[in-house]
Amino acid sequence: MAKRFTKPTINWVEMEKRVPPSQKANFFAFKAKADAYYRRVQASPAEAPKINWEEYSKIVPVPGLVEKFKTAYAAFKVPYPADTLSAKIDEQWKALQPEIQKFCETMQKEIDAVTVDLNKVKALPKFDDMTMEMFAELYPNEALDFTKKPSFWPHNIEEQPGYMTPEQKAMKAAGHH
């Protein structure tokens, strides 16, 4: 008889943590199918039912028929496929471990860098409390500096005096006025 499952070997809680929100519905549908299959397996008996052969030999009038069925029943084995893939999967998993470790290290470095940037942003004063002077001090390249580089509303490049489109620049460079 095949090995009987006593409990599922899948850690559904950990797997659910790794499923992206857009795939949650598919994950729960898969889990429901797996649970239904597991319940069906558990509902079946682990061993084949025992037959009272003496009772049948008293009832069946044909001599030797019950013994023939008894030997055939004892000889019958349910064919279970041999597990030929687990070893290959384990080999692939072992081969992937260095790549996974390298990816995790790379992602941890990125997480650390982003955490540093996030802490800098969190340390800034609230947007409502920040003045233009504070912004200019914190971000000199992004701040408007009206003394060194005056601009007019709406303070975008296209609306400023002297602005030329790329086509106008190309014509001027070619010598056209």
Side-chain angles (χ1 to χ4, degrees), residues 63-80:
L65 185 61
V66 173
E67 285 76 26
K68 181 180 173 185
F69 281 138
K70 183 178 179 180
T71 56
Y73 185 77
F76 179 72
K77 299 288 182 211
V78 176
Y80 291 101

Side-chain angles (χ1 to χ4, degrees), residues 17-117:
K17 290 179 186 175
R18 298 167 193 266
V19 174
S22 62
Q23 294 292 321
K24 290 283 185 179
N26 292 340
F27 170 76
F28 288 126
F30 170 71
K31 183 178 181 315
K33 285 184 180 182
D35 289 343
Y37 174 74
Y38 179 72
R39 282 192 298 277
R40 281 197 342 244
V41 168
Q42 289 303 100
S44 302
E47 298 290 328
K50 302 292 183 207
I51 298 175
N52 188 350
W53 296 107
E54 289 82 28
E55 190 69 31
Y56 279 108
S57 59
K58 291 176 190 174
I59 299 170
V60 176
V62 179
L65 185 61
V66 173
E67 285 76 26
K68 181 180 173 185
F69 281 138
K70 183 178 179 180
T71 56
Y73 185 77
F76 179 72
K77 299 288 182 211
V78 176
Y80 291 101
D83 183 11
T84 59
L85 297 177
S86 289
K88 291 179 183 177
I89 291 171
D90 291 341
E91 288 174 20
Q92 289 176 349
W93 181 249
K94 287 178 185 174
L96 284 175
Q97 288 304 314
E99 291 180 44
I100 292 170
Q101 186 66 29
K102 183 179 176 184
F103 177 78
C104 289
E105 289 170 1
T106 304
M107 289 299 107
Q108 189 59 47
K109 288 177 185 174
E110 289 187 28
I111 289 169
D112 294 341
V114 170
T115 304
V116 168
D117 292 342

